[in-house]
Amino acid sequence: MNKITENKYSKLFLKYVPRTFTHDRKGNLSHPFQFLEDLCDKETIEIIEFRHFNEGFTFYNDLKKKGEHSLNWFIYEYSLIKGNNEYVNKIVSSLIKLYKTVNSINKDSPYYAQHSKGYYNILQTIIKEILESIFVSYHLDLNKSNRNYLSKWYYLNEPINSFKFTHHPEDKRLKYLYDKYLKTSFIYYDTPFDTFKGLFENRPLVNKINWTDQKTTLYFFIKLLRQHKVIKNTKNKHWLITSEFFLLKGETLIPKDFLNQKEPQTKQKREKLEKFVLALKI
């Protein structure tokens, strides 16, 4: 196995990133998972047999490490071109095609099947692990073909629905309050109103809301919504819903992040959040 080395942006990323992107525009690999394609090239690859446990196990661990590195590379690139789902679908289509190729090698070539079955089985396992990670995190971004194919392998839990207003305000009023008290101050300035409104429509996630302030203010915001009964009772699922529908400065959240959390000390921030919530009670 080659050691993990420093990467440049992939050629696929450079194909979809806006031309205004000023960083290095010379990609050295077609996409972050090209190393798997190189390993699966039956025309050039040296046949590998695992005669002992440590040989196969070391190969698997090395390959898994490189797969995790490439997955992080993919997530980083995709975070820079959010909204362009062609990138992720091209990646997934390539990996599915690669899986089918490896499967075909195992089935159709007695020599490979006899001498290197363990090698190709490990490759298939790594490919499926990567596809599962992408499917779980980005299934909403996949086209129908890719989603249907991966749905045969992976099962998604019942989707988590968002909060529901006790008394739904008019959209015009909600947007006014959102723009005045939350947008830019607490929520990423480019977040569409419809994305925020979805937080109260009792429906599955479409797009996450990026909370750009501290975790304490997000904790306080949800606490206020519950305390003033602006949202209906969630039967103690409020932190689960919060972690599903919010990012914190671009990072994912889990329910336990809110355990033993303190309220914000900044009076101005507290007042803004309180004014937003109290205005919804009128």
Side-chain angles (χ1 to χ4, degrees), residues 44-96:
T44 60
I45 195 165
E46 179 182 349
I47 304 305
I48 298 176
E49 296 182 61
F50 302 126
R51 300 183 182 277
H52 303 286
F53 172 85
N54 283 342
E55 292 177 353
F57 191 56
T58 298
F59 175 74
Y60 169 76
N61 281 332
D62 288 345
L63 200 61
K64 188 174 179 69
K65 182 178 180 181
K66 195 159 188 178
E68 290 170 350
H69 169 76
S70 294
L71 186 61
N72 288 334
W73 180 4
F74 155 76
I75 293 171
Y76 167 64
E77 287 193 341
Y78 194 41
S79 71
L80 299 179
I81 50 174
K82 273 188 176 178
N84 192 327
N85 294 343
E86 270 195 81
Y87 173 84
V88 66
N89 280 292
K90 288 283 187 181
I91 292 282
V92 170
S93 295
S94 295
L95 289 172
I96 290 174

Side-chain angles (χ1 to χ4, degrees), residues 20 27 45 58 61 77 99 125 134 166 177 190 199 217 259:
T20 52
I45 195 165
T58 298
N61 281 332
E77 287 193 341
Y99 178 86
T125 298
I134 295 174
T166 304
L177 295 173
D190 207 23
L199 180 64
T217 54
L259 294 178

Side-chain angles (χ1 to χ4, degrees), residues 143-154:
N143 59 36
K144 185 176 180 181
S145 175
N146 284 332
R147 190 184 302 182
N148 287 347
Y149 188 90
L150 296 182
S151 293
K152 298 174 185 177
W153 290 346
Y154 312 119

